[in-house]
């Protein structure tokens, strides 16, 4: 549930993506200086120019609907900009846990979030990556600035966070910068612990959850599938994962650091609340650090059975959730890692727990988003709470070694980024290929019909099939050359620029361009659907 954690904006009020990108990356785990938060306080104002400034005769100007504004706008309103891939959200480098948990979206709701985002007027495709260290939305926007505005408003609505506050903490990346960011996320370069592997599994889950969901379409699906390939390649060709830790292992290390004696043998009771993916990893890392007895509180015992069989020399006692507070009363160290959207431990019920032996404070290590332990618990003299943001202390060492590994990984990422950008740009030829095929097919069908009409009614079925096969054979052979020069896979001699020039030439020669651009038509359909 957690990872451990290209174009410049056209409006002059927003920093260029390149400048913003340089400021944003790499994460603090890879730099010798601390990350600075970069505000995006600027707001984009969008107006539709209409030269008719006169008022109605009654002197009252009625506010036109968005659809009316679209109808009266210039014909080239949307032809001047292409659709954009945009990454917008919050992560551990830019926003505190208190804000991230408000925006967190459970995995079961990712599909609905995609549908809601794609219902926005200028959003064509979408994906959600929500973990304990980040909540990032990736979209294909038909209009860059309008898309950002709509997604930001949606984020504010679902989280209750004001738009100015989101602007202060959000990341905002366009096209190649957004793509590179996701590749770095999948490779573990943007994680709090460099090279950790859990984030790659979470990126895979985005693809799995998006299968069959309207809006998780060709570009976004291709982006995330390529990110998975990048993550695998980086881990295979570099040693970035060697010696790296995960959120769970960092949580165990942090607990050891905070104990008077760095040993779980003398720590009294150890309690793990939750036996999901994170909980299982916590249990394994506790065993690796010498913890020979622990209590696990979970809804069912089945999830823990497999771990018991694997860790035969560790005593693992399973208790139901109804006994959580009773188990907590006997524990000095408590790890919480459930998917609960409400706190499992409140200030009041922790206040009622008996004091830990030797007068120490009871340690809570909460690695859940939303948090399982109320922040106010740390106000008690008998308890202290650490959350995922506190794990930075564990990974502060060996910075130089991680920087060297990151440099190797970035070379691979740049290669993969070039491949993806070429593939994405080559998609521009798809509409031309379809229109040209349809154009040729209309001619073939028309000429074949003329031929058959001249031959009279006595033409046999076999002759008709032969004529049809002849016409199709001629068409396919004539189309083969143009089609070859309109496709780009990165391995051919012809460059992408040549392919795009061929596309434009074909459009001109056969008048394949339409008066209304494909992008404008998509937006028009969306707006008309919203009016119904």
């Amino acid at each position: 549930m957690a990872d451990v954690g290209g174009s410049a904006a056209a409006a002059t009020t927003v920093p260029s993506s390149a400048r913003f990108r340089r400021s944003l990356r790499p994460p603090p785990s890879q730099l010798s200086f601390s990350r600075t938060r970069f505000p995006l306080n600027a707001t984009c104002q969008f107006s539709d120019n209409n030269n008719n400034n006169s008022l109605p005769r009654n002197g009252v100007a009625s506010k036109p609907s968005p659809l009316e504004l679209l109808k009266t706008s210039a014909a080239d309103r949307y032809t001047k900009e292409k659709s954009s891939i945009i990454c917008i959200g919050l992560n551990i480098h830019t926003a505190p846990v208190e804000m991230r948990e408000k925006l967190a979206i459970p995995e079961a709701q990712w599909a609905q979030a995609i549908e809601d985002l794609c219902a926005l007027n200028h959003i064509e495709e979408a994906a959600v990556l929500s973990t304990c260290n980040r909540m990032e939305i990736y979209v294909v926007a038909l209009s860059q600035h309008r898309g950002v505005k709509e997604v930001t408003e949606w984020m504010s609505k679902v989280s209750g966070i004001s738009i100015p506050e989101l602007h202060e903490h959000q990341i905002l990346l366009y096209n190649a910068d957004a793509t590179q960011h996701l590749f770095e996320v999948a490779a573990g370069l943007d994680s709090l612990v460099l090279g950790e592997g859990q984030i790659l599994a979470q990126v895979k889950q985005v693809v799995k959850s998006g299968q069959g969901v309207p809006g998780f379409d060709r570009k976004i699906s291709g982006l995330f599938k390529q990110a998975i390939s990048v993550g695998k390649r980086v881990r295979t060709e570099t040693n970035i994962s060697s010696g790296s830790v995960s959120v769970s292992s960092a949580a165990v290390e942090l607990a050891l650091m905070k104990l008077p004696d760095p040993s779980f043998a003398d720590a009294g009771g150890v309690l793990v609340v939750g036996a999901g993916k994170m909980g299982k990893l916590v249990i394994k890392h506790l065993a690796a650090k010498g913890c020979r007895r622990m209590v696990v509180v979970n809804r069912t015992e089945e999830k823990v059975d497999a771990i018991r069989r694997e860790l035969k020399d560790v005593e693992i006692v399973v208790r139901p959730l109804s006994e959580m507070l009773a188990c907590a009363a006997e524990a000095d160290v408590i790890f919480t890692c459930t998917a609960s959207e409400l706190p499992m431990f409140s200030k009041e019920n922790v206040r009622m727990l008996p004091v830990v032996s030797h007068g120490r404070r009871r340690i809570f290590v909460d690695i859940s988003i939303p948090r399982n332990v109320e922040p106010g618990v740390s106000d008690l003299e008998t308890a202290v709470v650490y959350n995922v943001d506190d794990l930075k202390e564990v990974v502060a060492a060996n910075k130089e070694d991680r920087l060297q590994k990151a440099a190797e990984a970035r070379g691979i990422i740049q290669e993969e980024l070039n491949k993806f950008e070429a593939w994405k740009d080559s998609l521009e030829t798809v509409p031309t290929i379809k229109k040209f095929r349809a154009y040729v097919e209309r001619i073939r069908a028309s000429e074949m019909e003329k031929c058959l009409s001249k031959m009279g009614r006595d033409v046999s079925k076999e002759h008709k099939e032969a004529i049809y096969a002849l016409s199709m054979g001629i068409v396919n052979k004539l189309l083969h050359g143009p089609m070859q020069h309109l496709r780009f896979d990165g391995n051919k001699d012809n460059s992408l620029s040549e392919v795009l020039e061929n596309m434009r030439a074909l459009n001109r020669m056969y008048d394949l361009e339409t008066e209304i651009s494909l992008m404008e038509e998509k937006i028009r359909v969306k707006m008309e659907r919203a009016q119904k």
Side-chain angles (χ1 to χ4, degrees), residues 46 78 81-84 86 122-123 141-148 519 523:
F46 308 111
Y78 289 104
E81 60 177 323
K82 299 192 299 184
S83 62
S84 301
I86 301 173
H122 296 87
I123 302 302
L142 298 174
S143 170
Q144 191 173 92
H145 305 300
R146 291 172 179 84
V148 169
M519 186 178 298
I523 296 171

Side-chain angles (χ1 to χ4, degrees), residues 436-507:
F436 188 48
R437 279 191 172 277
Y439 172 82
V440 173
E441 172 58 23
R442 285 195 300 271
I443 295 175
R444 185 205 65 78
S446 174
E447 293 303 313
M448 179 176 169
E449 185 177 351
K450 290 179 185 178
C451 175
L452 291 174
S453 66
K454 291 178 181 179
M455 295 176 69
R457 298 180 180 179
D458 298 331
V459 182
S460 66
K461 180 181 178 181
E462 289 78 10
H463 284 161
K464 287 182 180 180
E465 290 177 351
I467 293 170
Y468 173 79
L470 174 65
S471 67
M472 289 300 298
I474 292 172
V475 164
N476 289 334
K477 282 182 170 58
L478 289 174
L479 283 177
H480 179 73
M483 294 302 103
Q484 289 295 101
H485 286 82
L486 285 177
R487 291 193 173 97
F488 178 80
D489 60 9
N491 298 318
K492 298 180 182 178
D493 294 333
N494 54 330
S495 66
L496 178 61
S497 61
E498 290 174 339
V499 170
L500 297 178
E501 181 54 39
N502 292 338
M503 176 195 74
R504 288 187 282 268
L506 203 63
N507 283 330

Side-chain angles (χ1 to χ4, degrees), residues 293-331:
R293 185 184 189 280
M294 66 190 80
V295 177
V296 178
V297 169
N298 197 54
R299 287 188 176 86
T300 61
E301 191 169 346
E302 288 77 9
K303 286 188 175 182
V304 190
D305 287 341
I307 305 177
R308 276 175 166 166
R309 290 192 292 269
E310 185 178 342
L311 305 174
K312 295 180 180 179
D313 57 340
V314 179
E315 182 184 357
I316 302 175
V317 181
V318 183
R319 293 285 182 264
L321 280 175
S322 58
E323 298 181 20
M324 183 184 71
L325 290 178
C327 295
E330 301 175 359

Side-chain angles (χ1 to χ4, degrees), residues 20-34:
F20 183 83
R21 182 75 190 164
R22 287 195 299 270
S23 304
L24 181 64
R25 296 189 319 258
S29 63
Q30 302 164 30
L31 296 174
S32 57
F33 51 88
S34 61

Side-chain angles (χ1 to χ4, degrees), residues 378-392:
S378 279
D379 297 336
L380 301 173
E381 294 182 357
T382 57
V384 59
V385 181
Y386 300 100
N387 59 50
V388 289
D389 287 2
D390 298 308
L391 300 182
K392 297 174 184 178

